[in-house]
Amino acid sequence: MRDEMTQALSGHNADYIELRLEELDTNHISMRGHEIDDIGGSSSRGGAARAYVNGAWGFVTFTQSDNLRERVATAVRQAHLASGEGGELVRGEPVIAEPPPVLDNDPFLVPLDKKVNLLQEYVEAMWAVPNIQTTSIGSGNRRRVTHFANSEGSYIRQERVDVTFNARAMARRDNDVQQYGVSVGSLGDYNVLEGRHDEMRDIAEKAVALLDAPQVEGREYTVICDPILGGVFAHEAFGHLSESDFVYENDRMKEIMVLGRRFGGQHLNIVDGASVPGLRGSYHYDDEGIPARKSDLIREGVLVGRLHSRETAGKMGEGVTGNARAMDYRFAPIVRMTNTFIEPGTATAEELISEVKDGVYCKNWYGGMTSMEMFTFSAGEAYRIRNGRIEELLRPVVLSGNVFTTLENLDAVANDLDMNEGGGCGKGGQSPLPVSNGSPHIRIQNCLVGGA
């Protein structure tokens, strides 16, 4: 494979060329109520060639790996046709590597009947709770084997297996419907799906409990976010603003996201890095052959870095960070997050809560959206805080605000970092890309909470 790809890349007139060949295999199971809703799998083989000439890319995808040289030549011709004002890519050192995959319990070796039986057991655990209206549950696995070569002399073979699982219970009383759920995942370890029977019953019980929960009065509160919701905030509200293609293409963000600008207190540190081992966003090399690393985004409250591809690093005069990722061979790599998290502080979660006289404790998340620096998130679970104590369960609440104001109001960070590996990230039509995010418990002053 290496010799064939190297020959296909030689002798072309381009500033830079890369070639990816991939093997993709997936399987999935989903159930609605007691019945199997969908079960199946897929396999595909394909590749992509990309060439850079005078500031422009040519990109070709294909499903037949014959005549690779002509595929590369087509990408080069496209780049020449689009070339214009120039622009340098950041170069990398040649890499020859075949890092071993992370596989603690390969889900593709787990028998189908065992997978189905496990989901059925989980469904029965949820339905054992009275007042459950319906349930949904599903698991999926994806194997991606990538062969990468470029005109710098690199050849990298990487294999990764992604495991996902989600479960949700819906409870109903008359016309009132409430729901609660979880989403988990792992890098190459089916074991994370097993042994969750008690958690499934807890999901159903929480959905039923929400039928009797009151709504909080909508206004500003001191808010404590658990590690899941804190991680979602780090990813959705701030992480996407750190993706440098978003910055250099947007004049307003250029004015705001200035390196050296203070956005929070000295206790605030936010990082992203695929080199953190064993997480869903982890890998050895990105889809441009750049080694993974851990990048500081905010250090002691100051913006010190952002995420880059070869192209964005060249355009902004900064270093590459190993964040160019493609969902598969059908897409060109773009700047994406990997494992994004707020680093732990020194306080305990109990200390953060004990200092709150009038607040809301928010856990998990249900959905949300961002628009530039504005965000809206729905917490999956919320409780009232009075005089330093967590009290009654509330109906799910919505947190809204400006990310930069919220960072300034984030006045305390606990020491209990935890990572959320459920779900995936979407951008540029590429979804769901495996990522993880996390945080310790964090405290935010004057946070707008939507309620009654």
Side-chain angles (χ1 to χ4, degrees), residues 148-183:
F148 172 91
N150 66 14
S151 54
E152 295 172 340
S154 292
Y155 172 79
I156 303 167
R157 180 193 182 278
Q158 296 187 98
E159 177 182 349
R160 63 168 293 134
V161 174
D162 197 47
V163 180
T164 59
F165 170 80
N166 62 83
R168 187 163 298 278
M170 283 141 277
R172 178 177 178 177
R173 182 184 298 139
D174 299 326
N175 292 325
D176 188 8
V177 178
Q178 296 294 323
Q179 61 180 318
Y180 190 82
V182 298
S183 179

Side-chain angles (χ1 to χ4, degrees), residues 8-9 12-14 17-19 48-53 56-62 66-82:
L9 289 166
H12 300 279
N13 179 22
I17 311 171
E18 63 188 26
L19 181 61
R50 196 166 66 136
Y52 190 78
V53 176
W57 289 102
F59 181 66
V60 174
T61 65
F62 48 90
D66 59 329
N67 204 2
L68 290 179
R69 185 171 182 80
E70 179 55 33
R71 316 286 189 189
V72 173
T74 301
V76 172
R77 288 194 296 269
Q78 288 182 353
H80 276 283
L81 288 171

Side-chain angles (χ1 to χ4, degrees), residues 121-304:
E121 290 174 11
Y122 289 166
V123 168
E124 295 305 318
M126 288 190 282
W127 278 93
V129 177
N131 292 323
I132 290 299
Q133 175 73 16
T134 189
T135 58
S136 63
I137 193 168
S139 66
N141 314 302
R142 182 176 189 263
R143 187 192 305 276
R144 181 190 185 208
V145 179
T146 303
H147 303 264
F148 172 91
N150 66 14
S151 54
E152 295 172 340
S154 292
Y155 172 79
I156 303 167
R157 180 193 182 278
Q158 296 187 98
E159 177 182 349
R160 63 168 293 134
V161 174
D162 197 47
V163 180
T164 59
F165 170 80
N166 62 83
R168 187 163 298 278
M170 283 141 277
R172 178 177 178 177
R173 182 184 298 139
D174 299 326
N175 292 325
D176 188 8
V177 178
Q178 296 294 323
Q179 61 180 318
Y180 190 82
V182 298
S183 179
V184 298
S186 81
L187 180 61
D189 187 5
Y190 183 79
N191 292 332
V192 301
L193 273 61
E194 298 181 325
R196 294 181 174 270
H197 300 79
D198 291 344
E199 183 180 16
M200 296 302 104
R201 183 176 180 87
D202 183 62
I203 287 171
E205 290 175 346
K206 285 180 177 177
V208 173
L210 287 170
L211 294 171
D212 295 315
Q215 283 191 315
V216 72
E217 176 189 358
R219 58 179 174 85
E220 289 186 346
Y221 292 89
T222 299
V223 168
I224 303 288
C225 295
D226 82 325
I228 292 179
L229 190 57
V232 169
F233 172 76
H235 174 101
E236 293 287 353
F238 179 77
H240 280 296
L241 298 183
S242 297
E243 293 170 332
S244 52
D245 51 354
F246 181 74
V247 177
Y248 82 73
E249 294 172 351
N250 190 298
D251 290 338
R252 175 171 169 76
M253 284 298 107
K254 287 180 183 177
E255 295 175 359
I256 294 174
M257 297 292 286
V258 177
L259 297 183
R261 179 173 176 176
R262 178 167 291 280
F263 286 112
Q266 290 192 339
H267 53 274
L268 180 62
N269 299 289
I270 303 178
V271 300
D272 178 278
S275 63
V276 181
L279 299 175
R280 283 189 68 212
S282 302
Y283 47 79
H284 293 277
Y285 300 90
D286 75 359
D287 287 311
E288 292 184 327
I290 299 296
R293 55 171 285 188
K294 182 179 175 182
S295 301
D296 286 337
L297 304 178
I298 288 182
R299 178 58 53 189
E300 296 183 351
V302 176
L303 184 68
V304 296

Side-chain angles (χ1 to χ4, degrees), residues 321-333:
T321 59
N323 285 87
R325 305 182 65 187
M327 187 71 191
D328 56 48
Y329 65 86
R330 298 171 299 168
F331 301 96

Side-chain angles (χ1 to χ4, degrees), residues 439-452:
S439 172
H441 279 82
I442 57 176
R443 187 173 66 206
I444 304 169
Q445 301 291 342
N446 303 316
C447 184
L448 182 61
V449 177

Side-chain angles (χ1 to χ4, degrees), residues 1 225 355:
M1 184 72 75
C225 295
E355 297 169 351

Side-chain angles (χ1 to χ4, degrees), residues 28-40 112-113 115-117 119-120 123 135 137-138:
H28 64 272
I29 308 167
S30 63
M31 297 182 64
R32 185 166 297 277
H34 296 277
E35 303 298 324
I36 293 177
D37 183 52
D38 189 20
I39 187 168
L112 177 61
D113 60 346
K115 294 178 180 178
V116 172
N117 289 340
L119 295 191
Q120 290 174 333
V123 168
T135 58
I137 193 168

